[in-house]
Amino acid sequence: TLKSLISSIQARDHYTEEHSQRVTNEAVRLAENLICSQKEIECLKIAGILHDVGKIAVPDSILLKPGKLTEEEYMIIKNHATIGENIVRPIMLLDQERRIIQCHHERWDGTGYPLGLKGEDIPYLARILSVVDSYDAMINNRPYCSAMSKEAAIDELIRNKGTQFDPSIVDAYLRIL
């Protein structure tokens, strides 16, 4: 089942496939640095590779749009976290991974989506994934945005500590970057 889901990501969008693999590798590296358990690291390996599986339901005209998204298009993109959670819900063994997939766009200050969770109400592993997901998105070219330098992306992580990101996770990630 997991291989089928991963294949669906690969078939849908080459960028998402590569992004998911990079995010997974970095999330594992950060989790190891944070002394997470082996079970948590295994959970991150699955959640990381599947965190954007919900994007298979986003039309190409939005997913690959070269310019700024309209508010309506952005609302469609924001649904990918919920869609991804729904896709993996029937796999009973993935409850924790499903929650990470659902919550990887929540924000430390409570203004994220889809649930508007705040602070430590956001699952710890989702907070790890959020930091590395954002960093990877910033340093790689996307259809709608050119890559930032690593230095500029690090500045963005620092600037968003305590608002978008868990400050302690940003600090840990900065130490290993």
Side-chain angles (χ1 to χ4, degrees):
T1 303
L2 285 176
K3 287 181 180 180
S4 293
L5 289 173
I6 292 166
S7 293
S8 70
I9 295 168
Q10 293 169 341
R12 175 69 170 91
D13 175 26
H14 188 64
Y15 169 80
T16 300
E17 172 194 1
E18 291 179 349
H19 166 73
S20 295
Q21 190 59 59
R22 288 189 306 265
V23 168
T24 300
N25 294 341
E26 283 297 287
V28 166
R29 190 165 77 112
L30 178 54
E32 288 170 347
N33 185 269
L34 290 166
I35 319 297
C36 288
S37 71
Q38 194 57 44
K39 183 179 178 184
E40 290 171 316
I41 290 169
E42 291 304 315
C43 180
L44 267 176
K45 286 179 182 178
I46 295 168
I49 207 71
L50 296 175
H51 78 279
D52 280 339
V53 70
K55 287 184 177 178
I56 64 174
V58 176
D60 281 348
S61 61
I62 296 172
L63 189 63
L64 304 175
K65 184 176 179 179
K68 186 171 171 53
L69 297 176
T70 67
E71 191 170 320
E72 182 180 316
E73 290 167 334
Y74 183 60
M75 294 305 291
I76 291 168
I77 282 280
K78 284 173 58 172
N79 284 330
H80 85 273
T82 300
I83 292 166
E85 186 266 337
N86 288 332
I87 287 170
V88 298
R89 182 180 293 149
I91 308 169
M92 299 302 179
L93 299 174
L94 297 183
D95 285 341
Q96 188 175 9
E97 292 84 352
R98 180 174 54 86
R99 185 83 168 139
I100 296 165
I101 291 166
Q102 180 184 38
C103 296
H104 76 278
H105 284 292
E106 297 293 346
R107 291 175 53 110
W108 187 251
D109 64 7
T111 63
Y113 62 87
L115 304 173
L117 299 178
K118 181 177 184 176
E120 294 189 5
D121 290 338
I122 304 165
Y124 185 67
L125 299 178
R127 288 183 266 150
I128 291 173
L129 195 65
S130 174
V131 171
V132 298
D133 180 41
S134 296
Y135 180 76
D136 186 80
M138 288 187 273
I139 64 166
N140 287 284
N141 287 320
R142 294 167 286 162
Y144 54 90
C145 184
S146 295
M148 291 181 178
S149 69
K150 290 181 180 182
E151 294 77 17
I154 287 170
D155 288 345
E156 277 295 299
L157 290 179
I158 293 167
R159 193 172 66 75
N160 286 287
K161 275 178 26 173
T163 54
Q164 183 173 357
F165 306 117
D166 177 333
S168 65
I169 292 175
V170 170
D171 290 342
Y173 195 44
L174 294 176
R175 283 192 301 272
I176 64 174
L177 284 175

